Amino acid sequence: MTTASSTFEAVDDRYPTRLDPGFTASAEPLVRPDPTVWGTRPGPFLERELTAYDRNGFHIEQGLLTPTQVQHCWSEFDRMVTDPALADSGLLVRERGSGAIRSVFRVHRVSPVFEALARTPRILDRARQLLGSEVYIHQSRINAMPGMAGTGFYWHSDFETWHAEDGLPAPRTVSLSIALTDNFAFNGGLMLMPGAHRTFVPCIGSTPDGNFHQSLQEQRVGVPSEQVITELGYEFGIDQFTGAAGAGLFFDANSMHASGNNISPYPRANVFLVFNSVENTPRAPYGGVAPRPVHLAERDVTPLEPLDDSPFA
Amino acid sequence: MTTASSTFEAVDDRYPTRLDPGFTASAEPLVRPDPTVWGTRPGPFLERELTAYDRNGFHIEQGLLTPTQVQHCWSEFDRMVTDPALADSGLLVRERGSGAIRSVFRVHRVSPVFEALARTPRILDRARQLLGSEVYIHQSRINAMPGMAGTGFYWHSDFETWHAEDGLPAPRTVSLSIALTDNFAFNGGLMLMPGAHRTFVPCIGSTPDGNFHQSLQEQRVGVPSEQVITELGYEFGIDQFTGAAGAGLFFDANSMHASGNNISPYPRANVFLVFNSVENTPRAPYGGVAPRPVHLAERDVTPLEPLDDSPFA
């Protein structure tokens, strides 16, 4: 506990979190001191889209990928789950019962297809435009959630974890979730609170070492209180990311989001790419823990180069 | 097990269910031998609405109650949860943790307000029109699900239970769910498979005595297999009941429906009235068990009389 506190003081932490339960007075939500759209770099987003992103913290682009491009992702996913080179890589997460692959991590490094996706100019340039700089991938993965028994994820800000456990100084980071299946309102589609990305919610409780082993299943540290979620929910309302396969959701790292469970028979899968600014590279984690492994928090911050002949162009 | 089977044979059961696990071959879904709209009795539903109800198995009436009428229901609910006469009636279901009232049963008998609601001509006449006869209330309740932690309900047909455990011979029964809070797609709003009400899905497993004590929390008997749900889901698709407080959903007793959990901060509450035809009164339960208590399965089948000066007119 004291380790975490002194770390905060030492590095001039503007987003204090994982607070000592004894000091809950300091856990009041705070107004984010950083912008959402960084600078005025030109790019594919229209001016009104940037204004809306700044206000809401997210942007939905229907048809970001064509059906053929979605199929290309599926073929690569199918290849990866049977690739002997990946079998013991620690990058595959399997269902407990069936052994089916539920997630593949670090796809931007182990798959030329998903590397190409991240470097596709109309995608990469959107990330650069929002963050006002060159960017690299902080984390990437594919999630394939089955129907009938898909488990949701409680309300949280990704940035809160990336700050406390990975050392990202500021929310100069944008996530892109691309739907590989149709996203309905009822099959676990992401819920977001438009505008809540302007509020940083400190969380209570110090971070255990190796917290990520557990938090990928169910987050217990870095979780806002029900009272704060209720207040934010009534202040900002809730939107959902729905759309046909190929739809893309760009969302700010500090977006407050969650997903319900999925008892529909329709599975839900997506590619998830987290673009971070090269001017926001990780320091020592602010939660006073050892940095997470590179498949969760990339340490190679080489800027992504655009790939002009991308199959996703 | 054998008790149930011989009961089926004895009463010429056209909807066999709670089958012996050894005879799964007889558990194939069957085409419902009964109509959905019974007869041509005139009433408030338009011809095209009846046609759609016949095809889909449900009808959503936005604004069935006015905001004032919704408020009237809330006031009565508030009164009931503190009514000493109801405290030990067995009609109240409380949250385990907080002790808050989660459900009140048999509201058509213990509350003049909800009795009036059921007897309101524009509501009662819709039920009569669909069922082609006089009707009475088989079951009624109010559900008040909190936000953040509302638990969903897996796919099921109400008729399957009412047949096996209450002895209703046929699905000549219509449920009305009236939203007392805004129903969003993401706060546990009912999912329905339009058209699946024409398919009866026999379930496997005999019914334990007193099954209802457990099944109101989580249904374990009378649950269709995942395979059948998947097949129906892909054949019929899924719709959701959403709308502002006051919206009403009329749905056939054999509708295949479910609700997801609710991790939004928005609570969800509804009044639930089940109208049964007086020509479909209960017999001995087809599942070979003792009939459930009257707050779950009414045995007084006196037809409802219209109430012309209803506050819900």
Side-chain angles (χ1 to χ4, degrees):
Chain A
M1 229 72 86
T2 49
T3 313
S5 300
S6 44
T7 307
F8 295 154
E9 285 153 25
V11 298
D12 184 25
D13 184 2
R14 294 174 305 137
Y15 296 95
T17 188
R18 312 294 168 105
L19 303 175
D20 191 311
F23 293 92
T24 53
S26 57
E28 286 297 302
L30 52 93
V31 176
R32 165 187 186 143
D34 286 307
T36 305
V37 176
W38 297 69
T40 55
R41 190 178 169 121
F45 278 121
L46 304 174
E47 193 60 35
R48 62 173 169 77
E49 290 173 333
L50 290 177
T51 304
Y53 184 89
D54 186 58
R55 184 177 61 240
N56 298 324
F58 62 89
H59 170 86
I60 295 171
E61 187 78 24
Q62 298 292 345
L64 181 66
L65 298 191
T66 65
T68 305
Q69 290 168 340
V70 169
Q71 187 53 50
H72 192 40
C73 293
W74 274 114
S75 301
E76 176 66 357
F77 178 73
D78 286 343
R79 188 196 66 73
M80 293 170 82
V81 300
T82 55
D83 183 347
L86 291 176
D88 297 315
S89 63
L91 300 180
L92 306 184
V93 179
R94 292 175 187 277
E95 289 281 329
R96 278 186 203 171
S98 66
I101 300 293
R102 184 157 184 156
S103 299
V104 182
F105 279 91
R106 219 184 185 202
V107 294
H108 68 292
R109 295 297 288 271
V110 299
S111 158
V113 171
F114 292 110
E115 186 200 344
L117 178 65
R119 293 174 55 197
T120 301
R122 67 199 175 87
I123 290 175
L124 176 59
D125 288 344
R126 279 184 165 95
R128 287 165 153 179
Q129 186 180 11
L130 293 172
L131 305 183
S133 70
E134 298 293 301
V135 301
Y136 71 98
I137 297 281
H138 175 66
Q139 187 192 104
S140 70
R141 62 175 190 266
I142 295 171
N143 288 324
M145 308 278 278
M148 310 304 294
T151 316
F153 228 92
Y154 190 74
W155 296 96
H156 66 288
S157 150
D158 290 333
F159 171 65
E160 195 276 341
T161 292
W162 297 338
H163 183 66
E165 301 190 23
D166 301 341
L168 298 196
R172 193 168 177 176
T173 316
V174 56
S175 298
L176 169 60
S177 173
I178 303 177
L180 298 182
T181 54
D182 293 348
N183 272 17
F184 301 98
F186 50 74
N187 68 338
L190 213 66
M191 295 184 275
L192 302 114
M193 294 182 181
H197 68 296
R198 304 285 325 150
T199 302
F200 180 75
V201 182
C203 297
I204 303 297
S206 64
T207 313
D209 270 333
N211 180 50
F212 61 88
H213 290 299
Q214 197 272 319
S215 68
L216 294 176
Q217 306 288 329
E218 183 195 14
Q219 209 171 345
R220 288 185 200 154
V221 178
V223 175
S225 72
E226 287 198 3
Q227 188 193 325
V228 167
I229 292 299
T230 301
E231 288 168 5
L232 293 175
Y234 278 93
E235 180 174 356
F236 294 107
I238 295 174
D239 277 356
Q240 250 187 314
F241 173 38
T242 58
L249 167 73
F250 292 86
F251 62 111
D252 180 84
N254 192 46
S255 295
M256 190 58 76
H257 64 291
S259 71
N261 63 1
N262 177 16
I263 61 167
S264 87
Y266 309 142
R268 195 169 65 90
N270 65 302
V271 188
F272 188 66
L273 301 171
V274 180
F275 297 93
N276 188 36
S277 168
V278 295
E279 296 171 23
N280 190 46
T281 54
R283 302 181 189 176
Y286 292 77
V289 290
R292 300 193 297 174
V294 291
H295 73 277
L296 299 176
E298 185 60 71
R299 295 271 149 180
D300 177 350
V301 301
T302 311
L304 288 176
E305 294 290 337
L307 184 68
D308 287 328
D309 60 347
S310 164
F312 299 100
Chain B
M1 226 74 85
T2 49
T3 312
S5 300
S6 44
T7 307
F8 295 152
E9 285 154 23
V11 297
D12 184 24
D13 183 3
R14 291 174 308 137
Y15 296 96
T17 188
R18 311 293 168 105
L19 303 175
D20 191 311
F23 293 92
T24 53
S26 57
E28 286 297 304
L30 52 93
V31 176
R32 165 187 185 143
D34 285 308
T36 304
V37 177
W38 296 69
T40 55
R41 190 179 169 120
F45 280 121
L46 305 174
E47 193 60 35
R48 62 173 169 77
E49 291 173 332
L50 290 177
T51 304
Y53 184 89
D54 186 58
R55 184 177 61 239
N56 298 325
F58 62 89
H59 170 85
I60 295 171
E61 188 78 22
Q62 298 292 344
L64 181 66
L65 298 191
T66 66
T68 305
Q69 291 169 339
V70 170
Q71 188 53 51
H72 192 40
C73 293
W74 274 113
S75 301
E76 175 66 356
F77 178 72
D78 286 344
R79 188 197 65 72
M80 293 171 81
V81 301
T82 55
D83 183 346
L86 290 177
D88 297 315
S89 63
L91 300 180
L92 307 182
V93 179
R94 291 175 187 277
E95 288 281 330
R96 277 185 203 172
S98 66
I101 300 292
R102 186 157 182 156
S103 299
V104 182
F105 279 90
R106 219 184 185 202
V107 294
H108 69 292
R109 295 296 288 270
V110 298
S111 158
V113 171
F114 293 111
E115 186 200 342
L117 179 65
R119 292 174 56 196
T120 301
R122 65 201 176 86
I123 290 174
L124 176 59
D125 288 344
R126 278 184 165 94
R128 288 166 153 179
Q129 186 181 9
L130 292 172
L131 305 183
S133 68
E134 297 294 301
V135 301
Y136 71 99
I137 298 281
H138 175 66
Q139 186 191 105
S140 70
R141 63 176 188 265
I142 295 171
N143 288 324
M145 308 279 277
M148 309 305 293
T151 315
F153 228 90
Y154 190 75
W155 295 96
H156 67 287
S157 151
D158 290 332
F159 171 65
E160 196 276 341
T161 293
W162 297 339
H163 183 67
E165 301 189 23
D166 301 342
L168 297 196
R172 192 167 177 176
T173 316
V174 57
S175 298
L176 169 60
S177 173
I178 303 177
L180 297 182
T181 54
D182 294 348
N183 271 16
F184 301 98
F186 49 74
N187 68 339
L190 212 66
M191 297 184 274
L192 302 115
M193 294 182 181
H197 68 296
R198 305 285 325 151
T199 302
F200 181 76
V201 181
C203 296
I204 302 297
S206 64
T207 313
D209 270 333
N211 179 50
F212 62 89
H213 290 299
Q214 196 272 319
S215 69
L216 294 175
Q217 305 288 330
E218 184 195 12
Q219 209 173 345
R220 289 185 199 152
V221 177
V223 175
S225 71
E226 287 198 4
Q227 187 193 326
V228 167
I229 292 301
T230 302
E231 287 169 5
L232 292 176
Y234 279 92
E235 179 174 358
F236 294 107
I238 295 173
D239 278 355
Q240 250 187 313
F241 173 40
T242 59
L249 168 73
F250 293 86
F251 62 111
D252 179 85
N254 191 46
S255 294
M256 189 59 76
H257 64 291
S259 71
N261 63 1
N262 178 16
I263 61 167
S264 89
Y266 309 144
R268 194 169 66 90
N270 66 301
V271 189
F272 188 66
L273 302 171
V274 180
F275 297 93
N276 189 36
S277 168
V278 295
E279 297 172 23
N280 191 46
T281 53
R283 305 183 186 175
Y286 292 76
V289 289
R292 298 194 299 173
V294 292
H295 73 277
L296 298 176
E298 185 61 70
R299 296 269 149 181
D300 177 349
V301 300
T302 312
L304 289 176
E305 293 291 334
L307 185 68
D308 288 327
D309 61 345
S310 163
F312 300 100

